[in-house]
Amino acid sequence: MMSLCSFQLTAPALAYIRNTLAHRIGWQDDLADMPLFYGKPDDLVNFSSGIIVVPAAVDAWQNLLVLPSRNIDWLSHGHVLPQDAVLPFSDPIPVLFWGAGYEDGHKPFAERREDGTVIFYADIIAATLFMLTRWEETVTPDRDEYGRFPAMASVAYKQGFLDHPIVDEYALILRAWLKVIYPNWQPRSRQFEVKLSHDVDHVQHFPNWRRGARVVMGDVLKRHDLELAKENAINTLARMANPRWDYYYRGIYKLAELSKAYGFSNDAFHFMAAEPGPFDQGYDIQAPFVRECIETLLQEGFEIGLHPSYNTYGKPAQLLEEKARLDAVLGYSEYGGRQHYLRFKVPDTWRHWEQVGLTYDSTMTYAEYEGFRCGTCHPFRPFDIEQNRELDLWELPLIVMEGTLRHYRNLTPEQGERRVMELARRCRQVEGTFTLLWHNVSLNQNWTLWRTIYERILGKLAVLQG
């Protein structure tokens, strides 16, 4: 188990990081043959050729938490890469941890000795584990009103690298140095992929007459708009009589239609199976019109997943109950999903998802700020820093949620489009997966301009994916 104030890499954690980096660099041979060693150069006897990563000091993780903002080192590519090597981006590289004894930066990020050995004085192994395990979230008490770890409390935000898939960038640097040692080595590159996802929080704008009545009364008493009140009254009655006319419901089909039009066919639609509550509409997953929608999406080749309710946070029994409801509708039990409100506690939520048999989670982003919460855009198996083990579950990091751009960041649609494409391009540069969340309710009248932007984004993402 990781100490609260010190860093000590365990054997299972080191094996996990070796495997993670091997996957990212495209190492296809036996993992045991990858010449990557973790330790002080003078302590390694009978070492002939390979890469040695110098470990950071035992208090390095804790020191990073209390480091003043914007105070880590950033290096140009000339100080990071071997001669003549290039990266597919021009941004400088942040250094989270220097090896113990090299914190003053008097040594380069990495260098090759006369005997052919490459020494990494920047501890990319500790940095990779730090980011992927989200250890800082287990020791930092900050939480927002929904119990979520906030972006502004993270090291990535405070040190200015939340926009960087730092784990993936380090992997590309490692690949470049390995090619110096093995000039004929041909690493396997990974194909960039776009993963569109849609959390179905609501299937009806007016699920019952009480909700419709409140809206109509608001039109009359607050907005003083009798025409709008009349329109909403008619819409309430019509949509309650036939929910298939509801624009929230039709928004699900529209998302599928748009994806098909731009060549995307692997979207994930995450449905809820919850009881009604203050934060959950609680629609009936067994309702004929909902089942009809799910069956249509499956026939079209889309993926169906679970969107666990607000109160499943910290409650694995409730999570299992909701999963069982979706299992009954689907007729199978292996799928993934995303937590409602992006409520996630590390490492507990990962454990709970593993416990109930979910295959992957795609929650890991910040509600109030887009970017790389885990420092990566590659799917990965989480490592439980408290139980010292790799979990039987995949994490597909979420990079951008449309609600983040509009509601939390107050961006214009055009600014939102630029941010989406900027982050998508970063994912492409590191051969990763760009995961975007766009809700079905975000195609209604209040989102008209954003809907236009979404269609434009899809066109650009299609070109980027190739």
Side-chain angles (χ1 to χ4, degrees):
M1 180 175 174
M2 184 69 66
S3 166
L4 229 72
C5 58
S6 66
F7 155 70
Q8 188 69 46
L9 205 70
T10 64
L14 180 56
Y16 167 78
I17 293 302
R18 280 177 56 86
N19 185 56
T20 296
L21 290 174
H23 170 76
R24 278 166 174 71
I25 67 174
W27 185 265
Q28 301 179 67
D29 298 329
D30 191 322
L31 184 61
D33 295 333
M34 187 172 72
L36 179 64
F37 301 91
Y38 194 56
K40 296 179 180 179
D42 295 340
D43 294 343
L44 295 172
V45 295
N46 300 322
F47 185 79
S48 57
S49 179
I51 291 178
I52 300 173
V53 178
V54 180
V58 295
D59 58 355
W61 285 25
Q62 185 66 25
N63 289 341
L64 183 59
L65 295 185
V66 298
L67 192 69
S69 296
R70 308 287 171 147
N71 210 36
I72 61 172
D73 292 324
W74 292 75
L75 302 180
S76 67
H77 292 195
H79 291 87
V80 169
L81 294 169
Q83 188 175 1
D84 298 327
V86 294
L87 292 172
F89 53 88
S90 59
D91 304 293
I93 304 297
V95 181
L96 295 197
F97 305 113
W98 288 103
Y102 302 98
E103 292 88 352
D104 61 359
H106 72 277
K107 283 288 189 177
F109 191 95
E111 68 176 358
R112 194 178 193 191
R113 300 193 306 195
E114 291 184 0
D115 63 2
T117 302
V118 173
I119 309 294
F120 270 65
Y121 296 102
D123 188 351
I124 64 171
I125 289 179
T128 298
L129 189 68
F130 179 88
M131 292 303 300
L132 295 184
T133 61
R134 307 306 306 129
W135 170 82
E136 63 176 304
E137 300 186 26
T138 70
V139 297
T140 305
D142 303 57
R143 294 296 182 270
D144 69 9
E145 60 183 309
Y146 302 111
R148 303 175 300 201
F149 181 75
M152 287 185 289
S154 71
V155 167
Y157 181 88
K158 290 187 286 189
Q159 299 301 335
F161 64 88
L162 185 55
D163 280 2
H164 289 253
I166 186 173
V167 170
D168 310 326
E169 293 177 358
Y170 284 170
L172 292 182
I173 296 168
L174 177 62
R175 178 195 284 177
W177 282 102
L178 277 171
K179 291 181 75 172
V180 170
I181 299 173
Y182 300 109
N184 296 324
W185 173 51
Q186 295 296 322
R188 179 180 59 193
S189 297
R190 186 177 181 273
Q191 190 70 29
F192 167 67
E193 182 183 4
V194 173
K195 181 67 175 181
L196 303 175
S197 59
H198 317 287
D199 295 350
V200 185
D201 300 344
H202 304 272
V203 295
Q204 293 175 269
H205 188 207
F206 303 118
N208 54 58
W209 67 267
R210 293 183 183 86
R211 172 73 179 272
R214 283 199 299 270
V215 172
V216 171
M217 291 300 291
D219 295 335
V220 174
L221 300 178
K222 292 183 179 180
R223 289 174 285 279
H224 307 292
D225 191 332
L226 295 179
E227 285 300 316
L228 182 60
K230 179 181 177 181
E231 179 184 344
N232 279 330
I234 294 172
N235 285 337
T236 298
L237 295 173
R239 290 165 186 167
M240 287 182 64
N242 186 356
R244 293 170 180 82
W245 284 99
D246 196 290
Y247 47 74
Y248 282 1
Y249 181 76
R250 286 183 292 159
I252 303 171
Y253 286 96
K254 186 61 180 179
L255 286 169
E257 177 188 321
L258 288 172
S259 292
K260 287 283 190 179
Y262 288 97
F264 297 106
S265 58
N266 68 337
D267 299 32
F269 289 82
H270 303 139
F271 282 81
M272 303 191 76
E275 298 291 339
F279 299 96
D280 308 300
Q281 187 182 80
Y283 55 84
D284 183 6
I285 195 72
Q286 293 275 8
F289 75 102
V290 179
R291 293 190 67 129
E292 175 187 303
C293 180
I294 290 174
E295 290 167 5
T296 300
L297 292 171
L298 288 173
Q299 290 168 5
E300 291 289 320
F302 294 109
E303 175 190 342
I304 302 299
L306 180 65
H307 194 38
S309 67
Y310 185 90
N311 286 322
T312 58
Y313 179 78
K315 298 178 181 178
Q318 186 170 339
L319 176 64
L320 180 61
E321 181 181 326
E322 294 181 14
K323 182 179 183 296
R325 291 177 188 150
L326 185 56
D327 289 353
V329 170
L330 295 177
Y332 57 86
S333 59
E334 293 188 358
Y335 48 82
R338 178 179 298 120
Q339 286 287 136
H340 193 31
Y341 272 74
L342 303 180
R343 300 184 84 208
F344 202 98
K345 182 180 180 182
V346 175
D348 302 50
T349 307
W350 275 326
R351 288 181 199 159
H352 297 161
W353 279 57
E354 178 193 52
Q355 179 183 332
V356 304
L358 286 157
T359 58
Y360 77 84
D361 167 72
S362 189
T363 304
M364 293 302 283
T365 193
Y366 296 112
E368 77 276 26
Y369 213 98
E370 68 282 359
F372 304 95
R373 180 172 177 173
C374 298
T376 182
C377 54
H378 283 247
F380 68 95
R381 286 193 181 275
F383 189 87
D384 188 326
I385 200 71
E386 295 178 353
Q387 294 185 352
N388 193 34
R389 68 182 180 93
E390 181 178 317
L391 295 167
D392 187 17
L393 173 81
W394 286 94
E395 178 63 39
L396 178 60
L398 176 60
I399 311 303
V400 184
M401 174 178 71
E402 91 283 41
T404 300
L405 305 176
R406 180 178 181 180
H407 296 308
Y408 287 90
R409 301 262 277 118
N410 295 314
L411 301 183
T412 66
E414 292 75 17
Q415 289 171 330
E417 177 186 11
R418 286 195 292 272
R419 282 297 289 157
V420 167
M421 295 312 303
E422 176 186 350
L423 292 169
R425 282 188 286 270
R426 287 187 183 273
C427 293
R428 188 176 188 273
Q429 290 165 350
V430 296
E431 304 166 11
T433 298
F434 176 67
T435 305
L436 173 66
L437 166 57
W438 206 278
H439 294 78
N440 59 305
V441 300
S442 300
L443 296 180
N444 66 31
Q445 301 100 313
N446 297 327
W447 285 77
T448 301
L449 294 177
W450 284 89
R451 171 176 167 167
T452 301
I453 290 297
Y454 180 59
E455 293 191 43
R456 205 155 71 194
I457 286 171
L458 290 182
K460 292 182 177 181
L461 289 177
V463 172
L464 196 65
Q465 182 170 256

